[in-house]
């Protein structure tokens, strides 16, 4: 798929209500055809559709983090839904008995909204009281683009990442299942892969996103916790214990004896969440006038490690492995699609 050159952007649908400086900013940014999302903007080194980008800019301008806030950060399709469920269950465990738990009747994204994709979506102005009542937020924003108050405060950030092959395949399925107004036809695996390898994906380049949080977790481990989906899948007990400690609510010896951690793991498991009515038939829009309707069932596909090996050719796997090796060279971090 051909990339368009950075060029002045024609007005997009929904630009009418925007301030002059927002319109000017949008028209100054490089744009490209992102496949299913035909019009992506490059802002501070990463690619976004217009509504998410406007949400980021609004959030950068207006969100004031408090020291007690907790932020869950991911690239799309890295296990965000799982992390939200876990963090919500851990931090609210004293409030809700398991049989009446909100996770049984609410999709995790409703309980832990995205800053830029829900609260500030498309330049929305969220109710400050709602913001303050939440305290637990999520984002796909890269570290460098986070609002300054998040970086400057003692607010903690948990980053979950995942093997790029599985992220890519998960997003390919997900985006082809989205009802996207601008294009009805699905994107082929090959075209989507070429774009991903060129760094063009929603919130991509993938490797820059991961590296931003990785570096910060090394420099400020008390501020940023770095987790891998694969580690959580392999053996969740130790990482989830560490997660509870990091979030400031470690499991007590009594909770250990009573199996609290195991109850949380069971509540948040793929098997449990994906079989709940709310996640089988529910639907969500990111914000008012959001053209993309997400059917919750598409947030729970297979939930396995290495599924990309069922889709990518040997050449594709080698190409992605090589890109990751080059991009992560010099950092104590590895990702291999070929496992
Ligand atoms: P697959 O498409 O590989 O199945 P996100 O939540 O960031 O959108 O990521 C979605 C991916 O996480 C999907 O991966 C989905 O199946 C998987 N997932 C969702 N809930 C999960 C859970 N509770 N445990 C493990 N994986 C989960």
């Amino acid at each position: 798929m051909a990339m368009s050159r950075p060029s002045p952007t024609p007005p997009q649908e929904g630009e009418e209500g925007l301030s002059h400086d927002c319109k000017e900013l949008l028209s100054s940014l490089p744009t490209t055809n992102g496949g299913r999302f035909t019009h992506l903007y490059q802002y501070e080194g990463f690619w976004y559709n217009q509504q998410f980008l406007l949400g980021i800019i609004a959030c950068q301008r207006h969100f004031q983090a408090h020291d007690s806030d907790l932020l869950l950060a991911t690239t799309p399709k890295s296990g965000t839904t799982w992390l939200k469920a876990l963090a919500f269950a851990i931090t609210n465990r004293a409030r809700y008995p398991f049989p009446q738990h909100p996770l049984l009747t609410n999709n995790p994204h409703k309980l832990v909204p995205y800053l830029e994709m829900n609260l500030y979506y498309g330049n929305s102005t969220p109710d400050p009281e709602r913001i303050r009542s939440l305290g637990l937020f999520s984002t796909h924003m890269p570290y460098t683009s986070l609002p300054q108050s998040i970086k400057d405060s003692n607010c903690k950030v948990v980053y979950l990442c995942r093997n790029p092959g599985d992220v890519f395949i998960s997003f390919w399925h997900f985006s082809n299942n989205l009802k996207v107004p601008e294009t009805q036809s699905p994107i082929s695996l090959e075209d989507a892969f070429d774009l991903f390898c060129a760094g063009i994906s929603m919130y991509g380049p993938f490797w820059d996103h991961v590296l931003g949080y990785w570096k910060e977790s090394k420099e400020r481990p008390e501020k940023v916790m770095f987790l891998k989906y694969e580690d959580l899948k392999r053996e969740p007990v130790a990482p989830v214990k560490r997660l509870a400690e990091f979030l400031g609510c470690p499991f007590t010896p009594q909770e250990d004896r009573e199996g609290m951690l195991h109850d949380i793991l069971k509540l948040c498991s793929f098997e449990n969440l994906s079989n709940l009515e709310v996640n089988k038939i529910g639907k969500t829009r990111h914000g008012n006038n959001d053209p993309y309707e997400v059917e919750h069932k598409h947030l729970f596909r297979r939930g396995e490690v290495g599924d990309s090996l069922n889709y990518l050719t040997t050449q594709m796997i080698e190409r992605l492995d090589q890109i990751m090796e080059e991009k992560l060279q010099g950092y104590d971090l590895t990702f291999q699609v070929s496992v």
Side-chain angles (χ1 to χ4, degrees):
M1 181 155 311
M3 264 173 68
S4 62
R5 301 199 61 76
S7 60
T9 313
Q12 292 295 292
E13 207 184 318
E15 265 190 25
E16 304 82 38
L18 292 180
S19 63
H20 179 68
D21 65 329
C22 261
K23 281 188 197 164
E24 249 188 10
L25 174 66
L26 287 179
S27 65
S28 71
L29 296 175
T31 60
T32 196
N33 183 340
R36 278 292 272 166
F37 303 92
T38 51
H39 203 89
L40 295 185
Y41 294 83
Q42 192 180 39
Y43 176 68
E44 298 182 347
F46 292 83
W47 294 104
Y48 310 100
N49 71 1
Q50 183 180 293
Q51 297 305 89
F52 295 168
L53 171 58
L54 291 174
I56 290 174
I57 294 167
C59 186
Q60 288 178 331
R61 289 180 182 172
H62 303 297
F63 180 69
Q64 281 304 318
H66 287 204
D67 287 343
S68 58
D69 286 344
L70 303 169
L71 181 67
L72 310 177
T74 51
T75 55
K77 303 298 128 198
S78 297
T80 321
T81 314
W82 191 15
L83 180 63
K84 287 186 183 193
L86 286 169
F88 183 86
I90 289 169
T91 53
N92 287 288
R93 64 187 188 270
R95 286 177 71 187
Y96 305 113
F98 282 94
Q100 282 96 45
H101 204 283
L103 277 165
L104 298 174
T105 46
N106 294 274
N107 180 260
H109 293 279
K110 186 166 179 207
L111 300 173
V112 188
Y114 290 103
L115 284 171
E116 79 284 12
M117 295 191 344
N118 299 129
L119 298 167
Y120 292 87
Y121 174 83
N123 200 26
S124 322
T125 315
D127 174 6
E129 274 185 37
R130 166 121 204 269
I131 294 269
R132 273 305 111 225
S133 70
L134 286 165
L136 177 60
F137 306 96
S138 73
T139 187
H140 286 323
M141 275 184 263
Y143 188 83
T144 44
S145 294
L146 288 180
Q148 199 55 39
S149 69
I150 293 182
K151 297 178 187 167
D152 292 345
S153 68
N154 289 326
C155 142
K156 292 193 175 187
V157 181
V158 179
Y159 186 70
L160 177 66
C161 68
R162 189 183 187 191
N163 182 310
D166 289 346
V167 164
F168 165 71
I169 287 298
S170 185
F171 194 80
W172 177 65
H173 280 288
F174 181 76
S175 65
N176 276 343
N177 277 316
L178 269 184
K179 289 179 186 70
V180 182
E182 58 257 44
T183 164
Q184 299 306 317
S185 50
I187 184 168
S188 72
L189 182 72
E190 293 72 20
D191 285 347
F193 188 74
D194 282 344
L195 286 170
F196 189 83
C197 290
I200 301 167
S201 58
M202 195 70 88
Y203 291 85
F206 170 84
W207 39 87
D208 289 338
H209 201 285
V210 174
L211 270 179
Y213 283 94
W214 174 251
K215 287 187 221 165
E216 207 55 33
S217 74
K218 290 282 136 188
E219 278 170 32
R220 297 167 77 192
E222 74 294 346
K223 168 96 183 161
V224 180
M225 179 184 203
F226 192 93
L227 289 170
K228 280 186 173 178
Y229 179 92
E230 292 73 17
D231 295 339
L232 274 177
K233 283 292 287 187
R234 193 181 312 112
E235 196 289 293
V237 172
V240 170
K241 245 186 175 172
R242 281 198 295 119
L243 176 62
E245 282 161 20
F246 183 79
L247 295 176
C249 40
F251 292 103
T252 63
Q254 187 184 344
E255 285 177 323
D256 279 344
R257 280 195 301 280
E258 289 171 357
M260 173 64 85
L261 192 154
H262 290 275
D263 288 346
I264 287 178
L265 288 179
K266 205 165 137 199
L267 174 70
C268 302
S269 68
F270 182 89
E271 291 65 31
N272 186 51
L273 294 183
S274 62
N275 282 307
L276 296 170
E277 202 67 356
V278 65
N279 294 327
K280 283 206 281 198
I281 57 168
K283 295 175 187 178
T284 299
R285 287 182 191 275
H286 288 290
N288 294 337
N289 309 320
D290 178 12
Y292 312 111
E293 187 174 62
V294 177
E295 293 182 65
H296 297 166
K297 65 180 180 196
H298 295 311
L299 296 163
F300 304 92
R301 195 180 60 90
R302 298 199 59 190
E304 287 173 8
V305 173
D307 186 42
S308 54
L309 300 177
N310 297 319
Y311 292 88
L312 301 177
T313 63
T314 311
Q315 286 85 349
M316 285 170 153
I317 293 168
E318 280 172 10
R319 183 173 163 200
L320 197 46
D321 273 346
Q322 200 179 339
I323 291 174
M324 290 311 290
E325 206 181 307
E326 275 169 25
K327 301 288 180 187
L328 303 187
Q329 207 172 25
Y331 299 96
D332 182 21
L333 176 68
T334 49
F335 277 105
Q336 261 200 312
V337 182
S338 48
V339 276

